[in-house]
Amino acid sequence: MGLPALEFSDCCLDSPQFRERLKSHEAELDKTNKFIKELLKDGKSLIAALKNLSSAKRKFADSLNDFKFRCIGDAETDDEICIAKSLQEFAAVLRNLEDERMRMIENAGEVLITPLEKFRKEQIGAAKEAKKKYDKETEKYCGVLEKHLNLSSKKKESQLQEADSQVDLVRQHFYEVSLEYVFKVQEVQERKMFEFVEPLLAFLQGLFTFYHHGYELAKDFSDFKTELTISIQNTRNRFESTRSEVESLMRKMKENPHEHKNISPYTMEGYLYVQEKRHFGTSWVKHYCTYQSDSKRITMVPFDQKSGGKGGEDEAIILKSCTRRKTDSIEKRFCFDVEAVDRPGVITMQALSEEDRRLWMEAMDGREPVYNSNKDNQTEGTAQLDNMGFSIVKKCIHAVETRGINEQGLYRIVGVNSRVQRLLSILMDPKAAETEDEISAEWEIKTITSALKTYLRMLPGPLMMYQFQRSFIKAAKLENQESRISEIHSLVHRLPEKNRQMLHLLMNHLANVAKNHKQNLMTVANLGVVFGPTLMRPQEETVAAIMDIKFQNIVVEILIENHEKIFNTVPETLQSNSQLLLSRKRSTDSKPPSCSERPLTLFHTMQPSEKQENRNSIINSSLESVISSSNINSFLHSNSTPQSNMNSSDPDLEVVKPSRPNSLSPFRKARALYACKAEHDSELSFTAGTIFDNVHPSQEPGWLEGTLNGKTGLIPENYVEFL
């Protein structure tokens, strides 16, 4: 398991979990720093001590063999796997050289020692300085906050306002320092993948030149060297694109942090000071508290940010009531009282500000929680997958393939924005579309390619659709290349017909571009870097999503390399489940579910009519692709029962789930995949993650019956997974 991604949104909450994840990154940096020190020491010994070369070189090889890379995320690309195993390959080469007792080293200091020292001083050193600054600001902020919260409410209003302003300034500065530190830590973690390995590769290449017997060894090593060089370049390219995305997200977080909070499983969470009565009086203890409105469960974790450790055992209570504490009844500000079902007495809590207290009060008294307004970063344009849209894309492709297929940096070099917008306005003008069959030669190729990419980004949603984003990423993370191709093949044929046709048109063109890579320098990997974020983009802009961009690129690479098979043949999964799709469509037409067909997200919402239309579009397009590839009569009158081998637990692929589990045992527990609001008394309302008891088939097609909080009602069958 790799290192967890550090979300910028967590810097604001500064939760214990965030501190733990940050510690794991700091420990990895310390480990890397120590390893580089040892490696530098061994390298210098190797150069200085020619007489002891044999023993020094073997120790150096052992150090390389023992070190293991840890990448950010839960999976590695083929390039990262190649880079990760490179140290073991280097160690094997060094042991071979030791067996031959070759003792010639030249230019090792320039190609090995200097770059590693530079990386350690400039990158890891900068991260350490950022940590010192972060720790200093943490201590300062917590001290100012505690002092501020201890102010008596009887102070003059002007003094209180001045104190509030001072705390806000310190809090903002702490937040900015926290963002910069997280950004630097993750940057160094990513940089080490190539800035660390490249000097070692160069060092080995130098040894091959000066060793007589090393000539044969160099020939044996050349294949892996080529693969590793490509992997390093690919990783570097992905890093550059990822770094710009992360930096952009960090700037957005600085400008408006409240619009980019993560979707939390809790109704409310944050730090509260809890009044505790002790034998010498009362004290206020800082806790990190979470609250879930469904279960009315409050969890309190005593935690001190300055020490970075827990101050006691966790405590959980069930909320009975919550009352605002009047200012004249207590010297502390921002207080409220909580009564628990399972604990006698009143618990007095102090929020961090008046606004913070208001949020806690609204959450605990049963009113709707306050979330940020849903916002889609992608502005909807007038671009559509209609006849005009296909015409625009075909015109651009024709112009590129007839006039500029061999231009260097095709699709990577961007055109002037004003000219790109001008060309798009002409192409999207209905009158001009009727009179002009081709794009005029006056337009530069870079302007045309930029216009094509811009048009694809102007579509209401990505060409490969939001609901399939996670499924495509999962497919790219499979270990076996054949499995990746097979899964992506199946997913492509679940796209709506027009999306699939446009994707087919585009992949044929990109394959032609890649065939001319010797002239235009645009390999399949380079095209993947360019078109991955264009054809696939997540609904939520997070660091974890940005880290998955490299897998988006891999999906596009697979589509280009296997476009003939993927678009011209029907996947086996759709052939074997054709009857299941028809049955699903009939069930949908006869009784549409009353709830939303998609999980609630922070950045994208869809009207009910749009949801049903989108759902039917996916079903119809899948049916068309299946029926067109086989005999319709034999398909409809087949006596055999198709066996479903699709992944019915994937919420992104709901359109191909069976209408009822084949082996459903009565009275099982189930978990809700999405939120649902009941439209009839017989239905249950619930949120994502809700656990149901006694779930069993109902008399209504497409519905289950289950129990929630003592109430029995109907649940949409494709909204749950069984435990």
Side-chain angles (χ1 to χ4, degrees):
M1 188 67 181
L3 293 170
L6 298 174
E7 297 294 346
F8 288 129
S9 56
D10 289 341
C11 294
C12 183
L13 289 175
D14 199 16
S15 65
Q17 294 81 6
F18 168 72
R19 289 282 180 157
E20 289 298 322
R21 292 194 292 270
L22 189 58
K23 276 186 176 181
S24 67
H25 280 262
E26 292 170 349
E28 180 65 16
L29 283 180
D30 289 338
K31 180 181 177 182
T32 303
N33 186 40
K34 291 177 182 178
F35 176 72
I36 291 178
K37 285 183 179 179
E38 187 68 20
L39 195 61
L40 288 170
K41 179 181 177 181
D42 294 341
K44 291 175 182 178
S45 298
L46 188 61
I47 296 170
L50 292 176
K51 294 182 180 180
N52 300 319
L53 179 60
S54 178
S55 59
K57 200 160 53 172
R58 187 168 293 280
K59 185 177 184 297
F60 186 71
D62 291 342
S63 297
L64 290 176
N65 191 60
D66 293 340
F67 185 75
K68 301 293 188 299
F69 280 116
R70 295 182 67 191
C71 303
I72 297 176
D74 59 354
E76 297 176 343
T77 64
D78 290 341
D79 292 326
E80 289 172 337
I81 293 173
C82 178
I83 291 175
K85 73 176 183 180
S86 62
L87 299 185
Q88 285 70 42
E89 293 290 334
F90 297 154
V93 170
L94 289 173
R95 285 169 181 151
N96 273 331
L97 290 174
E98 168 56 22
D99 292 339
E100 297 297 329
R101 297 189 180 277
M102 294 296 173
R103 300 181 180 181
M104 183 173 288
I105 297 178
E106 194 170 311
N107 297 327
E110 180 180 351
V111 299
L112 175 67
I113 304 301
T114 303
L116 289 180
E117 285 181 337
K118 183 179 179 181
F119 173 76
R120 178 173 165 267
K121 291 177 181 179
E122 294 182 1
Q123 299 301 324
I124 298 181
K128 287 185 175 181
E129 289 299 319
K131 174 175 170 53
K132 291 179 181 178
K133 185 177 180 181
Y134 176 69
D135 291 340
K136 182 178 179 181
E137 288 300 322
T138 299
E139 185 174 357
K140 179 181 178 182
Y141 168 62
C142 293
V144 170
L145 183 62
E146 289 179 0
K147 181 179 178 181
H148 175 66
L149 295 176
N150 285 324
L151 282 176
S152 173
S153 59
K154 297 179 181 179
K155 293 280 188 179
K156 292 183 180 179
E157 184 63 25
S158 60
Q159 292 177 328
L160 294 177
Q161 290 179 355
E162 181 180 355
D164 289 345
S165 300
Q166 182 182 2
V167 170
D168 288 341
L169 289 174
V170 174
R171 181 186 296 112
Q172 180 63 27
H173 188 252
F174 167 72
Y175 181 51
E176 291 178 359
V177 170
S178 178
L179 286 172
E180 291 170 356
Y181 178 50
V182 168
F183 173 74
K184 188 61 183 177
V185 167
Q186 296 198 111
E187 179 185 17
V188 175
Q189 294 285 20
E190 287 289 297
R191 278 183 177 275
K192 71 179 183 182
M193 294 296 290
F194 51 87
E195 290 195 4
F196 186 30
V197 175
E198 274 186 323
L200 296 170
L201 181 62
F203 168 66
L204 290 177
Q205 185 60 40
L207 286 179
F208 294 146
T209 306
F210 297 102
Y211 277 90
H212 174 71
H213 190 76
Y215 175 73
E216 293 297 329
L217 184 60
K219 288 199 301 184
D220 296 337
F221 186 78
S222 61
D223 290 340
F224 179 77
K225 184 193 74 173
T226 301
E227 181 185 358
L228 181 59
T229 303
I230 295 171
S231 296
I232 291 172
Q233 186 59 45
N234 290 342
T235 305
R236 183 191 295 274
N237 292 340
R238 289 166 184 156
F239 164 77
E240 293 298 338
S241 62
T242 301
R243 184 183 184 279
S244 62
E245 294 285 343
V246 174
E247 191 171 12
S248 174
L249 178 58
M250 184 189 71
R251 287 197 296 268
K252 292 178 183 178
M253 295 292 295
K254 282 185 176 181
E255 294 169 0
N256 205 341
H258 297 292
E259 290 192 4
H260 295 270
K261 288 185 179 179
N262 271 353
I263 297 177
S264 173
Y266 302 108
T267 308
M268 187 67 186
E269 61 180 319
Y271 283 100
L272 292 171
Y273 282 80
V274 180
Q275 186 183 50
E276 294 185 357
K277 296 181 179 180
R278 299 182 179 177
H279 65 278
F280 54 83
T282 60
S283 64
W284 294 84
V285 181
K286 195 173 187 179
H287 289 69
Y288 190 82
C289 302
T290 60
Y291 175 68
Q292 286 183 313
S293 59
D294 289 342
S295 60
K296 293 187 175 296
R297 180 184 179 88
I298 304 174
T299 303
M300 300 180 290
V301 181
F303 188 82
D304 185 2
Q305 294 160 284
K306 292 184 290 185
S307 64
K310 293 172 64 174
E313 296 297 324
D314 300 358
E315 182 179 3
I317 60 175
I318 304 300
L319 177 68
K320 180 179 180 182
S321 66
C322 177
T323 307
R324 185 185 301 274
R325 190 70 178 262
K326 292 183 179 180
T327 305
D328 55 4
S329 67
I330 191 170
E331 290 189 359
K332 297 282 188 179
R333 304 170 68 198
F334 319 133
C335 294
F336 58 94
D337 292 335
V338 170
E339 288 187 277
V341 174
D342 49 353
R343 173 174 164 175
V346 175
I347 304 172
T348 301
M349 296 181 173
Q350 182 184 27
L352 304 184
S353 65
E354 184 62 41
E355 175 66 13
D356 191 37
R357 177 170 68 172
R358 183 183 68 81
L359 294 175
W360 279 103
M361 292 290 297
E362 288 185 353
M364 289 187 178
D365 68 5
R367 287 172 288 183
E368 289 293 328
V370 177
Y371 294 114
N372 290 307
S373 300
N374 287 336
K375 179 178 178 182
D376 192 344
N377 290 341
Q378 189 67 25
T379 303
E380 287 195 12
T382 57
Q384 299 292 337
L385 292 178
D386 52 12
N387 291 336
M388 177 177 287
F390 277 88
S391 175
I392 291 172
V393 173
K394 288 178 180 178
K395 287 178 182 179
C396 293
I397 289 175
H398 177 74
V400 172
E401 293 192 347
T402 55
R403 295 197 281 120
I405 195 72
N406 291 326
E407 281 204 12
Q408 290 190 1
L410 193 64
Y411 285 107
R412 172 167 283 181
I413 299 176
V414 298
V416 179
N417 185 58
S418 60
R419 289 183 59 78
V420 172
Q421 296 301 325
R422 174 62 180 158
L423 175 57
L424 276 175
S425 65
I426 294 174
L427 291 173
M428 297 173 70
D429 184 358
K431 295 180 180 179
E434 293 177 359
T435 57
E436 298 181 9
D437 295 332
E438 296 182 0
I439 298 176
S440 173
E442 68 178 276
W443 296 101
E444 296 176 296
I445 292 299
K446 65 181 182 181
T447 303
I448 297 173
T449 56
S450 295
L452 174 58
K453 292 188 293 182
T454 303
Y455 187 84
L456 293 173
R457 288 193 290 266
M458 287 170 60
L459 293 171
L463 190 60
M464 296 172 71
M465 304 189 68
Y466 288 124
Q467 59 261 49
F468 293 100
Q469 166 80 8
R470 287 187 296 168
S471 298
F472 277 113
I473 295 298
K474 289 178 185 176
K477 292 180 179 180
L478 296 175
E479 294 184 2
N480 185 275
Q481 182 71 1
E482 292 182 1
S483 300
R484 297 177 192 170
I485 296 172
S486 175
E487 186 65 20
I488 291 174
H489 188 187
S490 176
L491 289 169
V492 166
H493 282 264
R494 295 171 197 168
L495 293 172
E497 183 67 20
K498 289 186 177 180
N499 293 61
R500 187 167 63 252
Q501 289 176 357
M502 180 64 80
L503 191 61
H504 187 187
L505 179 66
L506 190 61
M507 290 304 113
N508 281 340
H509 168 59
L510 295 183
N512 291 333
V513 173
K515 288 178 183 177
N516 295 273
H517 69 274
K518 291 185 179 179
Q519 291 78 31
N520 57 39
L521 305 182
M522 293 303 292
T523 61
V524 171
N526 290 338
L527 291 171
V529 171
V530 173
F531 279 90
T534 299
L535 301 179
M536 301 171 62
R537 60 179 181 272
Q539 288 177 277
E540 302 173 39
E541 191 177 6
T542 64
V543 173
I546 293 173
M547 291 303 170
D548 277 339
I549 288 177
K550 55 194 175 186
F551 294 104
Q552 294 176 184
N553 303 345
I554 291 174
V555 172
V556 175
E557 292 175 24
I558 291 174
L559 289 174
I560 296 173
E561 292 176 335
N562 303 274
H563 67 282
E564 292 184 356
K565 173 184 176 182
I566 289 175
F567 293 99
N568 296 331
T569 62
V570 178
E572 295 179 1
T573 52
L574 286 183
Q575 290 176 340
S576 63
N577 286 276
S578 53
Q579 285 186 340
L580 179 62
L581 286 167
L582 282 176
S583 173
R584 176 74 177 186
K585 184 176 187 299
R586 295 192 194 103
S587 175
T588 303
D589 293 339
S590 63
K591 182 175 178 61
S594 60
C595 301
S596 166
E597 289 297 322
R598 299 177 59 165
L600 298 176
T601 62
L602 184 62
F603 296 104
H604 187 78
T605 57
M606 188 178 291
Q607 297 301 322
S609 60
E610 293 175 330
K611 296 171 188 171
Q612 185 64 27
E613 181 182 348
N614 182 50
R615 186 167 179 267
N616 291 336
S617 172
I618 296 174
I619 296 172
N620 291 331
S621 63
S622 299
L623 286 169
E624 289 170 7
S625 66
V626 173
I627 295 174
S628 63
S629 63
S630 61
N631 186 287
I632 184 65
N633 293 324
S634 62
F635 169 74
L636 293 176
H637 296 89
S638 172
N639 293 325
S640 61
T641 301
Q643 298 297 319
S644 174
N645 58 3
M646 295 172 135
N647 183 8
S648 62
S649 65
D650 193 340
D652 297 332
L653 307 180
E654 62 184 33
V655 297
V656 294
K657 289 182 182 177
S659 60
R660 185 176 303 278
N662 292 331
S663 58
L664 178 62
S665 304
F667 307 111
R668 296 173 61 186
K669 283 184 176 290
R671 179 189 293 110
L673 298 172
Y674 317 124
C676 178
K677 183 176 181 181
E679 293 184 0
H680 302 285
D681 293 338
S682 60
E683 300 172 5
L684 294 176
S685 295
F686 50 87
T687 59
T690 300
I691 303 299
F692 303 94
D693 295 318
N694 302 326
V695 179
H696 57 279
S698 73
Q699 299 300 320
E700 295 288 341
W703 295 81
L704 301 172
E705 191 170 44
T707 303
L708 176 62
N709 296 331
K711 179 182 177 181
T712 300
L714 296 176
I715 310 163
E717 188 170 294
N718 58 338
Y719 273 56
V720 300
E721 63 178 358
F722 288 92
L723 303 178

